[in-house]
Amino acid sequence: MSAYRLDYLDQLESEAIHILREVAGQFERPALLFSGGKDSITLVHLALKAFRPGKFPFPLVHIDTGHNFKEALDCRDQLAATLGEKLIVRNVGDTIKAKQLTEPKGKFASRNALQTYTLLDTIEEFKFDACIGGARRDEEKARAKERIFSVRDEFGQWDPKLQRPELWNTYNGRIHKGENVRVFPISNWTELDVWNYIRREKIELPSIYFSHDREVIEHEGQLVAVSEFIQLEASDKVLTKKVRYRTVGDMTCTAAVESKASNIDDIISEITATKTSERGETRIDDKVSEAAMEDRKKNGYF
Amino acid sequence: MDLLRFITAGSVDDGKSTLIGRLLYDSKSIMIDQLEAIERQSKNKDEGEIDLALLTDGLRAEREQGITIDVAYKYFSTPKRKFIIADAPGHIQYTRNMVTGASNADLAIILIDARNGVVEQTRRHSIITSLLNIPHIVVAINKMDLVDFSQDVYNNIVIDYAKVAQSLGLKNVTYIPLSALQGDNIVEKSDKLSWYEGPSLLHFLEEVEVQDTINLTEARFPVQYVIRPQTDALHDYRGYAGKIVSGVYKVGDAVTVQPAGIQSRIKAIEIAGKEVAEAFAPQSVVLHLEDNIDISRGDVIVNAAQPVKTAQELEVLLCWMDNKPLIPGNKYLLQINSRVVRSVVRNIEYKLDVNTLEKNEAPSQAVLNDVIKATIKTASPIPYDSYQALRANGGAILIDETSHVTVGACMIQ
């Protein structure tokens, strides 16, 4: 019977496809949140496996902070065009203007927290009842607690103490009008699983994941790209370094890592040997407090 | 490389968090920044001790109270296997959370404090393990350092637990003496336990055969979604998308679509757009049938030679999970895999004492964390298997129609 044995990546893939199809089967107006990063690109690849030769039963939705890497945006547009799937983009800049929100100040003024406003507006505009996202439980300890079908109230809030029991592979997506469900098909994948899957499936990624020369400044041990979105001070030394990105978020809150890894094999070797977590190494926004992610999720963040 | 999902249940006192912390730490799955973060918070940092519980307790309330409230999932791998740990609370008031974590586990680690032996909590966790039909059990006899690594202490606990295992009909029980705090028998075998001839915990977890937890003899395929592109090129394409929850499907197999009972044959099987001759659990596939019949989400395609039970009246063991009580006569939605039907809980036969396994007189209503035997009547027929025989097609949830919350877990008898 050993012929009927699945490799762990096949098991994770099958689980993710099952979850995506549950979304298609249970919701009327789902959406797939797509950023152009490796995790959401992986989700799109899984959706192809789940629904082809049919169309996706959901549009791709990007909440664009205006501070994104051009390479990620290009990859996003190109992928949506190649697949012939619908892409909806909503801009945080527009929300700031319409709602007269206050732009965050400071050297690395990040619109990351303001994304939530645009996301909630977009959910309301299109009456989305489920939003699929590429979050993983290994990323952060609040995420380690979250269900695969995570119910949010009409304000988008997560209540970690009142999560629905989630048993077997049976997902309960029933909600009241105005509520929505965030769905995380790759909850059980680790960073390394994603990379191994990308290698196996030969998935194309934005070039910033691979080693390249970039002008950066050093900030508390992290390398931040020089861009129009951060304010340089006289004391900042601009250096050109060989870097790559381990995650792709805003240019203001994502740090680069020094690396010569120019192909997937090298990246996997680096990640296997690393002693720093993905978010710890690359996210400037998680360090605010011990419960930074839990608090943001409670307020409607992904 | 394959995958092992296991659950550890217990409280901080049992050394559960230390054990998980040790597995993660010794398998190099804890990163420097995560260690620094817990060092900053550890209360005894002056003494240079790291509180590994802070690593697993992810919510502010849990860290403040020093308890585990809800299941956290942790990941680590060795060159042999990827592991998913469901780290569940052990207190009786969080039984529902333990049930949630146990539902997908291939293996349960039951922690025993060597100083205390088999206690009420050991029995409760074993009963839940048996209710949820977790295929493998490791009895981790922890804190051996506090009993001078005594073989007699270990032997007596094994004798005591064997009685529990026998009364519950537990199979595949493995006993491992260890000290999570000092790392004895966790990754490497310990010299201090030289009388113990079995493997270290990690070695056992790497080697235990879990392929047998997947049923490959009864073919069950709940339809999740129908793919119908309706384009000119694919005008006649009609594929049934779903996951094979058990068994094997081959092109040409005679199948029955339940609950309607319609017969057909498998015309084609696709995995991610590629045609294959056969597919097996737990693969996600698309099935095509010879005949054009009405099949929709919630129907189950089974191998005609491996029939499924179909009924409208179900005997279940039910774990109640809501703060509002279960009142017999109330209507709930029953969901088994992708099928959702209205149902009514008819009567409660008895209540199970999860500490002793005694059957107590039926209460008039069940409250949070109660495990009861009940009869459920459904509005339309349910294709199912007995949970103890086929976990993948014998577990159902109950949903409150007004709050939409998942309120019960049913193990169909």
Side-chain angles (χ1 to χ4, degrees):
Chain A
M1 280 307 213
S2 61
Y4 300 129
R5 196 180 273 266
L6 279 190
D7 180 65
Y8 80 106
L9 279 180
D10 289 317
Q11 290 192 45
L12 292 174
E13 178 190 66
S14 178
E15 178 180 81
I17 291 172
H18 175 254
I19 294 162
L20 286 168
R21 287 170 172 171
E22 279 304 289
V23 174
Q26 292 198 31
F27 296 94
E28 285 177 7
R29 300 170 81 91
L32 188 149
L33 296 188
F34 183 73
S35 66
K38 69 178 192 315
D39 297 309
S40 59
I41 290 175
T42 299
L43 279 185
V44 169
H45 186 81
L46 290 162
L48 287 170
K49 294 201 176 202
F51 301 112
R52 286 292 188 255
K55 282 265 190 201
F56 290 178
F58 37 69
L60 310 178
V61 173
H62 184 220
I63 305 302
D64 186 347
T65 57
H67 292 173
N68 285 289
F69 289 92
K70 185 180 176 300
E71 294 88 338
L73 296 181
D74 290 347
C75 189
R76 171 197 81 185
D77 293 339
Q78 203 191 338
L79 187 63
T82 313
L83 300 179
E85 296 289 347
K86 188 175 174 189
L87 172 69
I88 296 168
V89 179
R90 287 293 177 269
N91 295 296
V92 174
D94 295 342
T95 313
I96 292 173
K97 268 191 221 138
K99 287 189 157 23
Q100 303 195 17
L101 303 177
T102 306
E103 280 263 20
K105 296 189 176 64
K107 186 169 184 178
F108 303 107
S110 165
R111 286 175 165 178
N112 195 268
L114 294 181
Q115 267 186 97
T116 303
Y117 292 89
T118 313
L119 174 61
L120 297 180
D121 284 354
T122 309
I123 288 172
E124 204 170 302
E125 179 186 352
F126 294 95
K127 305 269 177 289
F128 290 134
D129 48 8
C131 295
I132 303 160
R136 309 186 320 264
R137 285 171 174 158
D138 77 320
E139 281 180 73
E140 204 279 333
K141 57 183 179 285
R143 286 197 161 152
K145 292 267 169 183
E146 195 166 8
R147 303 285 189 248
I148 289 173
F149 271 40
S150 180
V151 180
R152 303 301 179 91
D153 68 13
E154 57 185 314
F155 301 101
Q157 300 178 109
W158 179 53
D159 186 345
K161 283 190 189 170
L162 267 186
Q163 298 198 82
R164 288 179 185 175
E166 193 169 74
L167 292 108
W168 303 294
N169 301 302
T170 308
Y171 302 103
N172 170 10
R174 291 182 176 265
I175 46 171
H176 294 283
K177 204 170 180 319
E179 293 176 337
N180 66 86
V181 180
R182 308 285 168 88
V183 179
F184 305 112
I186 58 169
S187 285
N188 285 325
W189 300 40
T190 62
E191 181 190 19
L192 199 53
D193 295 336
V194 172
W195 280 109
N196 278 320
Y197 188 72
I198 286 169
R199 171 162 67 181
R200 189 184 86 170
E201 302 287 314
K202 302 187 171 65
I203 298 171
E204 264 191 60
L205 292 183
S207 56
I208 55 173
Y209 280 107
F210 303 95
S211 178
H212 58 282
D213 288 324
R214 188 175 286 269
E215 286 194 338
V216 293
I217 57 166
E218 219 173 299
H219 172 74
E220 293 179 6
Q222 291 183 313
L223 301 178
V224 184
V226 174
S227 71
E228 56 188 295
F229 311 120
I230 66 165
Q231 298 166 17
L232 289 186
E233 288 162 15
S235 58
D236 285 325
K237 266 191 239 148
V238 176
L239 310 160
T240 300
K241 295 215 173 208
K242 272 218 174 318
V243 298
R244 67 177 176 84
Y245 283 88
R246 206 167 151 192
T247 65
V248 170
D250 278 4
M251 296 192 77
T252 52
C253 66
T254 313
V257 296
E258 264 196 285
S259 168
K260 293 197 176 74
S262 56
N263 59 55
I264 298 238
D265 288 340
D266 292 349
I267 290 173
I268 289 175
S269 309
E270 267 190 21
I271 292 169
T272 310
T274 188
K275 294 194 162 42
T276 317
S277 78
E278 186 181 61
R279 293 197 82 87
E281 185 164 57
T282 66
R283 289 301 169 106
I284 301 171
D285 48 336
D286 275 353
K287 296 200 169 162
V288 183
S289 88
E290 196 42 48
M293 177 63 88
E294 182 180 343
D295 292 341
R296 271 183 292 158
K297 274 179 155 336
K298 282 178 178 166
N299 289 327
Y301 187 74
F302 226 81
Chain B
M1 193 154 96
D2 66 358
L3 186 61
L4 174 71
R5 297 172 198 252
F6 68 92
I7 179 173
T8 53
S11 52
V12 177
D13 306 337
D14 312 319
K16 178 197 64 167
S17 301
T18 315
L19 179 73
I20 294 174
R22 178 61 68 183
L23 282 171
L24 297 176
Y25 188 79
D26 289 353
S27 65
K28 310 217 168 15
S29 308
I30 302 178
M31 300 296 172
I32 286 176
D33 54 306
Q34 294 167 325
L35 266 184
E36 283 170 357
I38 60 171
E39 271 170 3
R40 278 199 298 274
Q41 291 178 81
S42 288
K43 292 196 179 87
N44 336 330
K45 61 182 163 192
D46 296 340
E47 295 151 41
E49 274 182 36
I50 295 173
D51 186 356
L52 287 168
L54 293 170
L55 196 74
T56 51
D57 291 332
L59 300 176
R60 194 196 296 267
E62 292 178 318
R63 288 192 296 276
E64 283 167 4
Q65 297 172 47
I67 53 165
T68 309
I69 295 172
D70 208 338
V71 186
Y73 293 90
K74 294 282 158 194
Y75 304 83
F76 72 99
S77 23
T78 69
K80 289 190 174 150
R81 229 171 216 170
K82 173 184 164 88
F83 297 93
I84 302 179
I85 312 176
D87 172 20
H91 288 114
I92 191 157
Q93 66 265 39
Y94 302 118
T95 297
R96 64 169 168 177
N97 306 83
M98 180 178 168
V99 168
T100 297
S103 68
N104 281 323
D106 305 313
L107 181 148
I109 296 182
I110 301 215
L111 274 164
I112 293 182
D113 184 328
R115 295 170 302 174
N116 304 332
V118 174
V119 294
E120 183 177 278
Q121 174 168 279
T122 319
R123 287 198 190 85
R124 185 171 69 250
H125 293 167
S126 304
I127 288 168
I128 292 168
T129 300
S130 130
L131 275 179
L132 274 295
N133 198 14
I134 299 178
H136 295 271
I137 292 170
V138 172
V139 178
I141 301 171
N142 190 22
K143 306 196 185 180
M144 287 301 292
D145 53 316
L146 300 181
V147 295
D148 298 327
F149 299 98
S150 157
Q151 186 175 10
D152 287 343
V153 170
Y154 169 82
N155 283 341
N156 287 334
I157 293 173
V158 170
I159 291 166
D160 280 354
Y161 191 85
K163 290 177 203 151
V164 176
Q166 198 188 8
S167 71
L168 294 172
L170 297 177
K171 293 177 214 95
N172 304 322
V173 181
T174 304
Y175 301 90
I176 303 181
L178 48 88
S179 164
L181 193 66
Q182 303 191 354
D184 293 293
N185 258 4
I186 302 290
V187 173
E188 302 292 338
K189 289 211 32 169
S190 168
D191 295 340
K192 295 169 197 150
L193 293 157
S194 53
W195 46 264
Y196 165 76
E197 286 170 357
S200 71
L201 176 63
L202 184 64
H203 186 69
F204 180 79
L205 294 176
E206 283 183 316
E207 296 295 331
V208 60
E209 179 58 71
V210 285
Q211 173 68 14
D212 57 3
T213 64
I214 297 167
N215 174 312
L216 291 169
T217 51
E218 270 108 351
R220 306 286 183 256
F221 180 84
V223 175
Q224 290 183 271
Y225 183 75
V226 183
I227 298 178
R228 291 203 65 192
Q230 292 177 308
T231 56
D232 290 344
L234 295 162
H235 189 70
D236 294 325
Y237 187 100
R238 180 197 279 261
Y240 304 109
K243 190 169 85 171
I244 301 173
V245 298
S246 62
V248 180
Y249 288 82
K250 295 185 170 128
V251 173
D253 277 354
V255 293
T256 312
V257 183
Q258 295 290 12
I262 304 166
Q263 308 277 326
S264 185
R265 274 183 191 281
I266 294 182
K267 186 166 80 180
I269 305 172
E270 283 175 88
I271 298 179
K274 287 198 193 86
E275 287 210 19
V276 293
E278 61 175 0
F280 55 94
Q283 288 182 313
S284 283
V285 303
V286 176
L287 296 185
H288 297 262
L289 301 188
E290 294 282 0
D291 308 282
N292 218 342
I293 43 186
D294 175 27
I295 297 177
S296 51
R297 177 177 166 81
D299 290 335
V300 185
I301 300 174
V302 308
N303 186 307
Q306 299 148 12
V308 71
K309 293 178 206 168
T310 304
Q312 273 184 264
E313 195 158 285
L314 307 169
E315 298 268 305
V316 301
L317 276 172
L318 192 166
C319 176
W320 191 248
M321 302 180 138
D322 200 31
N323 291 317
K324 288 190 289 180
L326 160 68
I327 303 167
N330 274 10
K331 292 186 179 63
Y332 300 95
L333 295 172
L334 180 140
Q335 181 175 355
I336 173 167
N337 290 317
S338 55
R339 186 171 189 80
V340 182
V341 298
R342 298 193 81 197
S343 71
V344 57
V345 178
R346 272 284 169 78
N347 66 302
I348 302 178
E349 200 177 310
Y350 59 80
K351 178 183 155 180
L352 199 69
D353 185 325
V354 291
N355 291 323
T356 63
L357 205 63
E358 274 169 35
K359 291 171 185 173
N360 293 336
E361 203 177 318
S364 60
Q365 42 183 244
V367 299
L368 180 66
N369 295 320
D370 277 357
V371 176
I372 56 164
K373 173 87 182 291
T375 312
I376 293 179
K377 171 102 170 94
T378 59
S380 63
I382 299 282
Y384 74 97
D385 290 273
S386 148
Y387 183 82
Q388 289 295 325
L390 181 45
R391 194 149 79 131
N393 195 40
I397 59 170
L398 291 183
I399 301 167
D400 184 318
E401 274 188 291
T402 57
S403 70
H404 301 318
V405 170
T406 303
V407 292
C410 305
M411 279 67 72
I412 305 174
Q413 299 297 287

